[in-house]
Amino acid sequence: MPKVAVVFAPGCEEVEGLTVIDVLRRLGIDAKMVGLEDREVLGAHNIKLTCDELMGDQLLKYDLVAFPGGMGGSKRLRDNEQLKRLMVQRNREGKWDAAMCAAPIALARYGLLDNHDYTCYPGMNEEIQKEVPSARFHKDITVVDEEAKILTSRGPATALAYAFKIAEVLGVDTKQIKKDMLYDYLAQNI
């Protein structure tokens, strides 16, 4: 079964990170909450999160590393040099990475969106285009760039789609869980 790390930074969008952890664990995927600076993380809405581990070189061992958004958290992810080094190395090794909402600004700063497809929270694409003019923005709920092995998504309401897509790019069948969690019902009735 694949291993996934979700990196939580202070000021993160809690629902985006916790949804990924919840869905992946329901699927039996080894999903860990990883604190960027500390194991105790205070999210954007003052929800205290207790992570399984602290960020370090172990990120190189995961099949996919995912970032939740939230402006405060995304800026911390973007500006952390150790994380940048690890993510660039993961990319060179052909491993999957994912970011949603404002967090694709981190992937842009790391140089990972150069000539690749992505999506993000409305308006963040303007900041990303300044950083990486060759990056190709799309308004889709989720965007998978197979060549770069990068998955991105739009914002809080797309967290379930993001979580399911993470499982799918790792080869995990999500058909039953989408039914069990009423995702299919929501998609048909909203």
Side-chain angles (χ1 to χ4, degrees):
M1 194 53 82
K3 290 179 59 170
V4 174
V6 179
V7 182
F8 290 84
C12 66
E13 184 67 55
E14 299 97 338
V15 70
E16 294 172 359
L18 291 174
T19 299
V20 172
I21 292 293
D22 180 276
V23 167
L24 298 182
R25 287 184 180 178
R26 286 175 193 242
L27 286 165
I29 294 172
D30 182 5
K32 297 280 193 241
M33 294 173 64
V34 179
L36 179 68
E37 302 164 359
D38 198 341
R39 286 193 58 224
E40 296 287 325
V41 177
L42 189 62
H45 302 98
N46 295 317
I47 299 172
K48 187 184 290 186
L49 305 164
T50 302
C51 295
D52 302 304
E53 58 191 38
L54 190 58
M55 188 266 299
D57 287 349
Q58 83 275 17
L59 288 187
L60 298 173
K61 297 178 182 173
Y62 284 93
D63 298 296
L64 185 145
V65 171
F67 294 167
M71 275 308 296
S74 296
K75 287 179 179 179
R76 282 185 145 98
L77 296 169
R78 177 194 67 194
D79 298 338
N80 187 292
E81 288 299 317
Q82 179 186 12
L83 182 59
K84 176 182 177 180
R85 178 184 59 79
L86 292 169
M87 297 301 283
V88 168
Q89 185 173 341
R90 287 181 51 76
N91 186 263
R92 283 190 196 123
E93 293 174 4
K95 295 187 176 179
W96 279 99
D97 294 307
M100 72 175 301
C101 194
I105 64 172
L107 301 181
R109 176 69 55 86
Y110 305 162
L112 304 182
L113 294 181
D114 191 28
N115 288 309
H116 293 296
D117 298 314
Y118 76 98
T119 193
C120 61
Y121 191 80
M124 293 307 301
N125 54 302
E126 295 166 12
E127 184 173 334
I128 290 170
Q129 290 306 132
K130 289 176 189 171
E131 186 90 34
V132 187
S134 67
R136 298 181 298 266
F137 173 71
H138 301 273
K139 291 184 179 179
D140 300 340
I141 292 171
T142 59
V143 171
V144 176
D145 189 303
E146 293 278 348
E147 180 186 353
K149 292 209 170 179
I150 289 176
L151 162 63
T152 50
S153 190
R154 301 291 317 254
T158 68
L160 278 173
Y162 179 63
F164 294 136
K165 192 60 75 176
I166 286 171
E168 290 163 5
V169 300
L170 294 172
V172 177
D173 183 2
T174 61
K175 185 177 180 183
Q176 188 63 47
I177 195 169
K178 285 179 178 178
K179 181 180 179 204
D180 294 347
M181 292 184 75
L182 299 181
Y183 182 78
D184 292 339
Y185 173 79
L186 176 68
Q188 293 169 358
N189 292 287
I190 197 164

